Amino acid sequence: MMNIKAFTLVSAVERELLMGDKERINIECVECCGRDLYVGTNDCFVYHFLLEERPVPAGPATFTATKQLHRHLGFKKPVNELRAASALNRLLVLCDNSISLVNMLNLEPVPSGARIKGAATFALNENPVSGDPFCVEVCIISVKRRTIQMFLVYEDRVQIVKEVSTSEQPLAVAVDGHFLCLALTTQYIIHNYSTGVSQDLFPYCSEERPPIVKRIGRQEFLLAGPGGLGMFATVAGISQRAPVHWSENVIGAAVSFPYVIALDDEFITVHSMLDQQQKQALPFKEGHILQDFEGRVIVATSKGVYILVPLPLEKQIQDLLASRRVEEALVLAKGARRNIPKDKFQVMYRRILQQAGFIQFAQLQFLEAKELFRSGQLDVRELISLYPFLLPTSSSFTRSHPPLHEYADLNQLTQGDQEKMAKCKRFLMSYLNEVRSTEVANGYKEDIDTALLKLYAEADHDSLLDLLVTENFCLLTDSAAWLEKHKKYFALGLLYHYNNQDAAAVQLWVNIVNGDVQDSTRSDLYEYIVDFLTYCLDEELVWAYADWVLQKSEEVGVQVFTKRPLDEQQKNSFNPDDIINCLKKYPKALVKYLEHLVIDKRLQKEEYHTHLAVLYLEEVLQQRASTSGKGAEASETQAKLRRLLQKSDLYRVHFLLERLRGAGLPMESAILHGKLGEHEKALHILVHELRDFAAAEDYCLWCSEGRDPPHRQHLFHTLLAIYLRAGPAAHELAVAAVDLLNHHATEFDAAQVLQMLPDTWSVQLLCPFLMGAMRDSVHAKRTMQVALGLARSENLIYTYDKMKLKGSSIRLSDKKLCQICQNPFCEPVFVRYPNGGLVHTHCAASRHTNPSSSSPGTRT
């Protein structure tokens, strides 16, 4: 059982005020209506007091009762019950089994003497069904056995409405609308006196203890159940709340939401309707009356009247929070919703959630804390402010007042425990990362992102870089100092870049690569800088660091010029001539850049093509002259040179031929002679100097690419002539000639070849060539025949269409109008469209479309 101070017991009517020195006078019943307090005694007196409540700032309110008057009812029996009917200005008094009506102010009986006789006890219907505002509905348990009676009570008369018989003697009753909640001798039931339908609730032994039936709200009752349980029941016969566990000897009960208050011989106990736990126990002996009147709870002994003053719910909640009883505080706060205006409740409840969140946070219950912070819409700076130095120096944030927690900072909260502190920092990282993109961050994104950056940097967290390369609101001054303090220079460069200070960013990264400052974040930082400059739009910055990147690596550094984005290349922001001039000191980079211009961008400029060819040539010559054995490199560069000489038509051929003179590069010389149209000279070099017959055949192929068939045939005939010119004794060339004919039969004019061949060659030797030539000739002939047949068929179709058009007669008169100019025909010359329309010849010449159609017409 967890205690909380929910109520304070204060005296309302002292013994001396009520009875003076008369020892035998006892209080039998009480009634309270607003400020009017009525007390019924055992000597048949009714006392009227006026209650005055006096609030006390530092504690519970006090009450002062002023006696107005008292009156004897004329019986010798005690006053058993009092009920006020304020709408009628009447007090219903049960005495000697009779309910009398008296004036609430002067306690005089009504002149008519109206009363209800034979009543053992009674209850008012607080949810009346009559609809008459000038009467009250009263339900009595009659002294007649097993009988319930319903009355309408007016100012000066009473009227019986219904009489209901029960299966057992009723002992207690409460009313709601047409429903009666009855405690019979052995059970509780719900009875609808309008329909006569009864429903059993649960059994109860009235001989062991008196029953309790209490209406606590619309269509809901509180009952004393077996086993010391306070049971809730609706008019439908079901329970929508869990029962509360009170004393076995309870003699009275009342409800002051969200609490059920029970009275037994020694205590007043307070139980929560929200979590069914006992919250408070007040010692109170000799009590025998406990009732609630419109929210005011009154208890009484036989000698005095007391009021249970509730502490404000917010004070109760704060007490629970102060005791770290978060769940109870939240349950109580939710239950307070019905008693507090909506706007005020929302403000209060949000603050309670925030306080509860900090309590859970201090206990390292981070999941629960996060949910409470979110639900309470916490200004996240309240949390950040716990961590020293995380809020920017420019932040105007001040903590909530009154404070949401008792901690000065994280050091106090964790008492210097480094492990706990690390856990708290990891939680804040996670929480800030989640809320930074939500509405929670609106208005102070700079504070959140700056704090998150500081946490990431301090913890050497991988997410630091992710934060800086995406949209963020980190304040430059605070963040830069923090990153420098923790030696996060690469991240500092990213921060500079995000704040449009690219020059500072690149210089910082250069310092890292040069070893001036230490930061191992990226092992490929040099490549990163090259990539950064490649996409940088600031030309001055690129030029400023071009030499540095090229000095580090010519092949990689040149990428700042060769891999620039396509859209930037289209703007021609960098002049190639300026770049070439810059790269003269870096020959490898210059070659890469010229390859980029010539091969990748395909710039048609003679200067670049010639320059690249010269660089290739110089490198080949250097490699050939070298004795270090770089054969593979030489062949690769030489292959590049040959591809360039073959594919390009823009370089200066004569200039390169002059450079090749005496260089010992016959293949390159042959290609250049070919570019000049000196094919025989080129083929002579390939055949006689290089003895490379395959290269000679390739020469014929690439030299004739994109040219007409006769040009290719001429090249192959020239090569064949060179092979045959050596005479029959040159066996190697003869074999090459035979291979050439047999492999490229379709490239030759067979008739001309046969005249060139030596008479000594056999048909068998040239069989593949002759078969290929015949097949090609037959194919060409048949293809021509097919084309001729198709042309004849097409001509026949057109002839047929023309005959059809000529076959129909056309009548022309001076009344016939041209469909274009709408003038008559003056001579028998006209143009007829396929749709039958006739027009002048000159009109048709000026308009070539059908006058009745958007598609072109056809003249006939």
Side-chain angles (χ1 to χ4, degrees), residues 193-208:
Y193 70 83
S194 175
T195 63
V197 176
S198 293
Q199 181 172 352
D200 296 343
L201 295 178
F202 52 86
Y204 183 79
C205 182
S206 59
E207 294 179 358
E208 295 180 3

Side-chain angles (χ1 to χ4, degrees), residues 58-77:
T62 61
F63 290 86
T64 302
T66 305
K67 184 176 177 180
Q68 303 298 302
L69 73 158
H70 65 282
R71 188 171 302 280
H72 192 269
L73 297 182
F75 300 100
K76 294 184 179 180
K77 297 290 182 72

Side-chain angles (χ1 to χ4, degrees), residues 466-481:
D466 296 332
L467 174 67
L468 290 171
V469 298
T470 55
E471 183 184 14
N472 67 80
F473 298 88
C474 300
L475 293 175
L476 179 60
T477 305
D478 272 71
S479 301

Side-chain angles (χ1 to χ4, degrees), residues 308-560:
L308 279 173
V309 180
L311 266 70
L313 282 175
E314 192 167 357
K315 176 67 168 62
Q316 297 180 42
I317 294 167
Q318 292 303 321
D319 289 346
L320 285 170
L321 291 174
S323 303
R324 305 290 190 269
R325 291 153 66 180
V326 173
E327 292 301 325
E328 292 180 73
L330 293 177
V331 169
L332 183 56
K334 289 177 185 177
R337 186 191 305 266
R338 60 186 282 180
N339 294 350
I340 302 175
K342 182 178 180 180
D343 293 341
K344 183 180 179 182
F345 172 79
Q346 288 178 343
V347 173
M348 181 197 79
Y349 189 58
R350 278 199 298 267
R351 178 177 173 80
I352 292 167
L353 288 171
Q354 294 168 10
Q355 290 178 280
F358 277 107
I359 291 171
Q360 298 283 35
F361 174 75
Q363 296 173 348
L364 307 186
Q365 302 295 320
F366 296 127
L367 288 177
E368 294 81 354
K370 179 170 68 173
E371 190 57 39
L372 290 166
F373 288 151
R374 280 186 170 180
S375 302
Q377 301 174 17
L378 175 72
D379 181 342
V380 73
R381 295 176 297 176
E382 289 278 1
L383 183 58
I384 297 172
S385 68
L386 273 173
Y387 297 72
F389 310 115
L390 287 195
L391 279 176
T393 54
S394 59
S395 176
S396 59
F397 171 74
T398 55
R399 289 186 180 179
S400 174
H401 186 77
L404 296 173
H405 53 81
E406 60 188 12
Y407 305 106
D409 57 25
L410 196 62
N411 292 318
Q412 181 190 349
L413 186 147
T414 61
Q415 296 181 346
D417 188 321
Q418 293 300 313
E419 184 179 352
K420 290 182 179 179
M421 196 174 295
K423 289 181 180 179
C424 291
K425 289 181 178 179
R426 286 197 294 271
F427 165 71
L428 184 61
M429 274 190 271
S430 170
Y431 185 63
L432 293 182
N433 187 51
E434 289 182 23
V435 303
R436 64 186 294 263
S437 57
T438 65
E439 293 181 358
V440 174
N442 289 346
Y444 33 86
K445 292 184 176 181
E446 294 86 354
D447 294 354
I448 292 176
D449 282 1
T450 302
L452 192 56
L453 176 141
K454 291 180 178 180
L455 286 168
Y456 283 156
E458 186 179 27
D460 194 21
H461 201 282
D462 294 339
S463 297
L464 174 62
L465 304 185
D466 296 332
L467 174 67
L468 290 171
V469 298
T470 55
E471 183 184 14
N472 67 80
F473 298 88
C474 300
L475 293 175
L476 179 60
T477 305
D478 272 71
S479 301
W482 192 270
L483 291 172
E484 191 166 357
K485 172 185 174 183
H486 289 86
K487 301 186 185 305
K488 297 296 179 183
Y489 298 109
F490 175 72
L492 179 55
L494 293 178
L495 178 68
Y496 283 142
H497 168 56
Y498 190 82
N499 286 274
N500 301 314
Q501 296 185 19
D502 288 349
V506 175
Q507 183 58 57
L508 191 56
W509 294 333
V510 167
N511 291 342
I512 297 173
V513 175
N514 290 341
D516 299 333
V517 293
Q518 301 300 315
D519 185 343
S520 59
T521 302
R522 291 195 68 133
S523 58
D524 61 341
L525 183 55
Y526 167 70
E527 290 79 5
Y528 181 87
I529 296 172
V530 171
D531 190 61
F532 181 85
L533 292 173
T534 300
Y535 290 89
C536 180
L537 301 178
D538 185 346
E539 288 188 42
E540 292 184 7
L541 185 61
V542 176
W543 283 118
Y545 289 94
D547 280 323
W548 182 84
V549 296
L550 289 165
Q551 288 167 6
K552 288 289 180 183
S553 171
E554 292 187 34
E555 291 87 345
V556 178
V558 74
Q559 293 176 9
V560 299

Side-chain angles (χ1 to χ4, degrees), residues 577-621:
D577 294 334
D578 295 337
I579 297 174
I580 291 171
N581 189 52
C582 169
L583 297 178
K584 285 180 179 179
K585 297 178 289 184
Y586 311 102
K588 293 181 180 178
L590 180 58
V591 170
K592 292 284 186 183
Y593 183 68
L594 287 172
E595 286 177 345
H596 169 67
L597 296 180
V598 171
I599 300 171
D600 299 335
K601 295 186 69 176
R602 300 182 181 180
L603 292 186
Q604 303 297 303
K605 192 169 182 179
E606 174 271 325
E607 180 183 352
Y608 302 149
H609 288 247
T610 302
H611 196 169
L612 180 58
V614 169
L615 290 176
Y616 280 156
L617 179 58
E618 289 176 351
E619 187 174 350
V620 169
L621 293 176

